[in-house]
Amino acid sequence: SVVAAGMPLLTALIGVGVGISAITALGATLGLSSTTSTLAMMLGLAVGIDYALFIVSRYRAEITEGRDRADAAGRAVGTAGSAVVFAGLTVIVALAGLAVVNIPMLTKMGLAAAGTVAVAVLVALTLVPALLGFAPVKVLRRRDREQYSGKPLSARQQRKAAKRAERDARRKPNLGSRWASYVLRHPVAVLLVAVVGLGVVAVPAASMELGLPGEGTMAPDTTQRKAHDMLSESFGAGFNGPLMITVEGRDAAAAAEIVGKRLVEQDGVATVTPATPNEAGDTAILNVVPTSGPTDGATEDLVRHLRSLADGLQNDTGAEVLVTGQTAMFIDFSKTLDDALLPYLALVVGLAFLLLMVVFRSVLVPLKAALGFLLSVTAALGAVVAVFQWGWLADVFGVDQPSPIMSTMPIFMIGVVFGLAMDYEVFLVTRMREAYVHGARPAEAVVTGFRYSGRVVAAAAAIMISVFSGFIVEDNDFIKMIGFGLAAAVLFDAVIVRMTIVPALFALLGKSAWWLPRWLDRLLPNLDVEGEKLSRTAPAARAASWRREQELVD
């Protein structure tokens, strides 16, 4: 159906348009960069298409089960729409949680992207069912439109519908249910192969080197890189990244002179410029040119050594000595990110764990979801290191020069990938939970979840990978790296973790997967994401609607 294919694209574009318009309007006031709108567009397109696709797919399934169009739309929003709300909340929590890192650039990027995702959720819950009202039958397959149009069928159409129903009844299970059945028969072997495979891909992540972009990491044919190389050849590698030493005290000029003499004696220092005092005479500045480049490990060691000398120089001169510069900023920035990583993980994973526990009413399902995320994000970071730092397949992905991974990349990847990974977990497992709540055995629930949601999750992952891969051709190194990393993470998480490891773990855990202590069951609110109440109230609602129609006719 062209309408069913175009509807998620249309609603996603509308949602992204609203989000980007808001970012553009607030850009000057809040100081948002162009990178912020690019990342918001990337995530808004990906999740917007996925959320609309999930609701439209559920609507089609409800129609083919014999429900009328209004009831099918209501059940689609009441079940798939509820899953979309919680999937979107996990993404929003992960992105908004970047504020914990306390780096303004990451905070703005995270909040802007979270706002775009929130708009995508609202569009999926409102505009998608409204569009279904305009084209309630055209979203179905062409051959099914006559049967479910609500108009009386002719004798010929009835015979064709009966033949299709008989053929569908004889049809073998679809690819998703066959794959789930295979995994359920060989859970241990499948689990070992998947975990070992991701572990091998994740190995390069252990040698990750972090840094910030500079002229030395740009493409060799750019004017910035040419100027950088010319200065390095003419004046030394350290000329492109001098260190600034500030001396603050009563007689700053005299103190700075003593500091300069001490600094020029240190290993790794090429030259020290004469001190420049201010008019008040209480502050002076010295520039130290290292013998190595600003991103070299030797320069980082020099910064740490000079900072360790600061206390001794203060005792000798009575003035406060501070070290800054490009390399010093790299060190401080990386330390800030390292210090914020564990609190950020604890906040995001903790909130998402509680959210998923409310959705699935289980302790083990959210736990395995979080562990699966760690596998996929580590493997994705390993792939990023192999391509952008080691230079593997550099020509294929347009990497001009291998360089250290940007310092913001790991923590940003963790936030975004965690949200997207929980998307697929919610989409796939809610259908399993729905079947289990309605009486299916654990193994049957897994097969049912894959029969109805496996194809949707695979299609959603393919769409998201395509969206992210499109940003690999960008000239901006950060956008290129983010696009590749997110595409790899979605591939690993959707295909290997959610569609391979998850059913294998369900096969091994059985009913234990849905275990929840009674005291916790009483504390948690019952949000009925799987639509158990809808199954009880829908027949009564249809009967009441029929009675109202009869009263109007009478």
Side-chain angles (χ1 to χ4, degrees):
S1 169
V2 175
V3 174
M7 195 175 292
L9 296 175
L10 175 63
T11 54
L13 288 174
I14 291 173
V16 168
V18 173
I20 297 300
S21 298
I23 292 173
T24 304
L26 298 173
T29 304
L30 301 180
L32 303 178
S33 64
S34 59
T35 305
T36 302
S37 59
T38 303
L39 292 172
M41 179 174 64
M42 183 192 305
L43 292 173
L45 270 179
V47 301
I49 294 173
D50 283 3
Y51 295 164
L53 176 67
F54 196 53
I55 293 177
V56 172
S57 175
R58 184 58 185 262
Y59 172 81
R60 284 162 54 104
E62 296 292 340
I63 285 286
T64 55
E65 289 180 5
R67 293 182 173 85
D68 62 77
R69 296 190 292 270
D71 188 21
R75 289 183 63 85
V77 177
T79 53
S82 299
V84 164
V85 170
F86 284 99
L89 281 176
T90 57
V91 180
I92 292 170
V93 166
L95 292 172
L98 289 171
V100 176
V101 182
N102 200 26
I103 293 178
M105 178 186 71
L106 280 180
T107 301
K108 294 174 183 178
M109 287 168 53
L111 292 178
T116 307
V117 172
V119 172
V121 173
L122 293 175
V123 168
L125 296 179
T126 56
L127 186 58
V128 169
L131 292 178
L132 289 175
F134 282 104
V137 180
K138 290 185 178 295
V139 296
L140 303 177
R141 292 178 297 182
R142 186 185 183 94
R143 67 176 194 173
D144 293 334
R145 292 176 189 172
E146 293 177 350
Q147 182 178 355
Y148 301 108
S149 62
K151 300 178 181 179
L153 299 180
S154 64
R156 179 171 174 272
Q157 290 172 339
Q158 289 177 0
R159 289 194 298 270
K160 289 175 61 178
K163 289 181 180 179
R164 284 199 299 266
E166 184 180 354
R167 186 169 60 251
D168 291 341
R170 296 195 306 265
R171 185 176 295 169
K172 294 180 179 179
N174 62 18
L175 180 60
S177 57
R178 291 199 299 270
W179 169 249
S181 299
Y182 175 80
V183 174
L184 290 174
R185 291 195 301 268
H186 310 89
V188 177
V190 170
L191 185 62
L192 287 176
V193 171
V195 172
V196 171
L198 287 178
V200 171
V201 179
V203 168
S207 60
M208 180 186 299
E209 297 177 5
L210 299 178
L212 290 176
E215 288 83 359
T217 60
M218 291 186 174
D221 57 345
T222 59
T223 57
Q224 297 95 323
R225 176 62 184 278
K226 291 178 181 178
H228 177 276
D229 292 343
M230 290 174 63
L231 290 174
S232 297
E233 293 171 1
S234 302
F235 301 99
F239 189 82
N240 284 296
L243 303 176
M244 181 180 291
I245 313 297
T246 61
V247 180
E248 186 177 12
R250 291 183 179 179
D251 190 1
E257 185 176 353
I258 298 173
V259 171
K261 292 179 180 179
R262 291 284 301 275
L263 294 180
V264 78
E265 299 172 354
Q266 307 302 316
D267 294 335
V269 174
T271 57
V272 178
T273 63
T276 304
N278 63 349
E279 293 182 0
D282 57 359
T283 304
I285 296 175
L286 299 138
N287 284 326
V288 175
V289 178
T291 57
S292 52
T295 59
D296 293 344
T299 309
E300 295 183 6
D301 294 337
L302 177 62
V303 170
R304 296 186 181 94
H305 176 63
L306 295 182
R307 284 178 168 175
S308 66
L309 291 177
D311 293 338
L313 292 172
Q314 183 173 353
N315 294 332
D316 295 341
T317 62
E320 185 179 13
V321 180
L322 300 172
V323 181
T324 186
Q326 184 177 349
T327 306
M329 290 173 63
F330 287 170
I331 295 172
D332 297 340
F333 192 75
S334 298
K335 185 177 185 303
T336 301
L337 291 173
D338 291 341
D339 293 342
L341 182 59
L342 287 180
Y344 173 69
L345 272 176
L347 174 68
V348 173
V349 176
L351 289 177
F353 185 89
L354 293 175
L355 196 62
L356 293 179
M357 194 160 54
V358 171
V359 174
F360 298 128
R361 308 199 69 77
S362 167
V363 174
L364 296 180
V365 171
L367 180 61
K368 70 173 182 55
L371 294 177
F373 149 74
L374 292 177
L375 277 174
S376 57
V377 74
T378 308
L381 288 174
V384 169
V385 171
V387 173
F388 289 88
Q389 182 178 314
W390 292 359
W392 293 4
L393 302 176
D395 295 336
V396 176
F397 295 102
V399 180
D400 297 305
Q401 178 181 344
S403 59
I405 306 302
M406 296 186 191
S407 299
T408 54
M409 180 72 179
I411 199 164
F412 188 81
M413 278 274 293
I414 287 172
V416 177
V417 173
F418 183 81
L420 298 181
M422 296 307 105
D423 268 9
Y424 298 121
E425 182 78 10
V426 171
F427 288 168
L428 193 60
V429 181
T430 47
R431 201 62 193 254
M432 298 180 192
R433 169 76 181 171
E434 182 178 343
Y436 180 77
V437 166
H438 291 133
R441 291 177 298 175
E444 293 174 347
V446 173
V447 174
T448 300
F450 271 81
R451 179 183 295 117
Y452 291 105
S453 297
R455 182 172 59 178
V456 179
V457 170
I463 292 169
M464 198 170 282
I465 291 170
S466 301
V467 171
F468 291 148
S469 298
F471 290 87
I472 297 177
V473 299
E474 286 279 336
D475 294 332
N476 188 306
D477 292 339
F478 184 65
I479 296 296
K480 183 191 293 287
M481 199 177 294
I482 283 287
F484 174 83
L486 293 181
V490 170
L491 176 65
F492 296 147
D493 193 87
V495 176
I496 300 180
V497 175
R498 307 303 155 190
M499 303 193 73
T500 303
I501 295 178
V502 165
L505 287 175
F506 270 111
L508 295 175
L509 293 174
K511 289 185 177 181
S512 301
W514 306 109
W515 172 75
L516 184 69
R518 290 184 179 179
W519 63 270
L520 189 56
D521 187 36
R522 290 191 298 268
L523 290 176
L524 294 177
N526 189 359
L527 301 176
D528 191 26
V529 178
E530 60 277 351
E532 184 181 5
K533 295 179 181 178
L534 286 175
S535 300
R536 297 195 300 264
T537 59
R542 286 196 295 269
S545 176
W546 181 82
R547 285 195 299 271
R548 285 194 299 270
E549 291 177 2
Q550 291 301 312
E551 291 173 358
L552 290 173
V553 170
D554 294 341

